[in-house]
Amino acid sequence: MTPIETEVARLQGLIGQEVGVANWITVDQAMIDQFADTTQDQQWIHVDPERAARETPFGGSIAHGFLTLSLASRFAYDCFAMADGQVMGINYGFNKLRFLNPVKAGARVRGRFVINSVKQRNATDMLRETGLTIEIEGQETPALIAEWLGLAVFGPAE
């Protein structure tokens, strides 16, 4: 079997199983402010903690949903290694994505991964759909749930 065929077979045996739980990351106000600067999204619910404490039900500022989502890449680094023969991984998008609970400044979040499906597309590409839940420490409702698509690219078979 080629390296891609070996990896496809391995992951197909894990469909429906949790395959990784990332380390906790604190989403502090500095991170939120940096994200706001980078994306030019300066909405006050993110960057004005005093006003957010007064005028929202959150008790302070909250992270951008896309900031929370962007941490998925970091969580994947915690949970997945490159397979033998794999030369790169490419973010291929999402089938579904729902933001369920805001992440308050100072909260800790982490990602949990479940293999939903995997298929070999051609001699070098494997498409994996991973169920992603980003949970908030101490909260029953997660920050978000998603079906994340990743393309694993393998070197040519020898």
Side-chain angles (χ1 to χ4, degrees):
M1 286 178 60
T2 66
I4 190 172
E5 292 168 335
T6 300
E7 184 65 1
V8 168
R10 184 185 78 80
L11 291 177
Q12 285 177 338
L14 297 173
I15 289 175
Q17 295 181 40
E18 184 171 83
V19 293
V21 179
N23 298 316
W24 290 106
I25 295 176
T26 300
V27 180
D28 60 16
Q29 190 62 50
M31 182 186 290
I32 294 168
D33 291 343
Q34 288 174 336
F35 189 85
D37 289 343
T38 299
T39 61
Q40 300 181 17
D41 180 352
Q42 298 288 333
Q43 186 177 173
W44 62 268
I45 64 173
H46 307 301
V47 298
D48 189 339
E50 292 80 22
R51 183 176 177 192
R54 285 192 318 271
E55 298 181 29
T56 73
F58 310 125
S61 59
I62 59 171
H64 305 71
F66 285 133
L67 166 55
T68 305
L69 177 61
S70 72
L71 294 172
S73 294
R74 161 60 199 282
F75 298 143
Y77 280 113
D78 286 349
C79 297
F80 299 105
M82 297 276 271
D84 287 341
Q86 184 179 347
V87 295
M88 73 180 98
I90 299 172
N91 182 359
Y92 201 69
F94 294 87
N95 282 337
K96 294 181 182 176
L97 171 63
R98 296 290 182 268
F99 296 100
L100 303 176
N101 197 6
V103 175
K104 297 175 185 178
R108 293 187 344 145
V109 296
R110 70 177 174 187
R112 302 182 84 91
F113 296 93
V114 173
I115 300 295
N116 290 346
S117 67
V118 60
K119 69 177 181 178
Q120 185 172 343
R121 294 176 6 136
N122 56 44
T124 60
D125 297 352
M126 176 189 77
L127 184 63
R128 178 182 70 201
E129 180 189 289
T130 307
L132 167 64
T133 301
I134 296 183
E135 59 187 4
I136 306 167
E137 188 175 42
Q139 299 284 314
E140 186 173 322
T141 303
L144 67 83
I145 56 172
E147 293 175 359
W148 188 12
L149 301 174
L151 193 63
V153 180
F154 289 74
E158 295 178 12

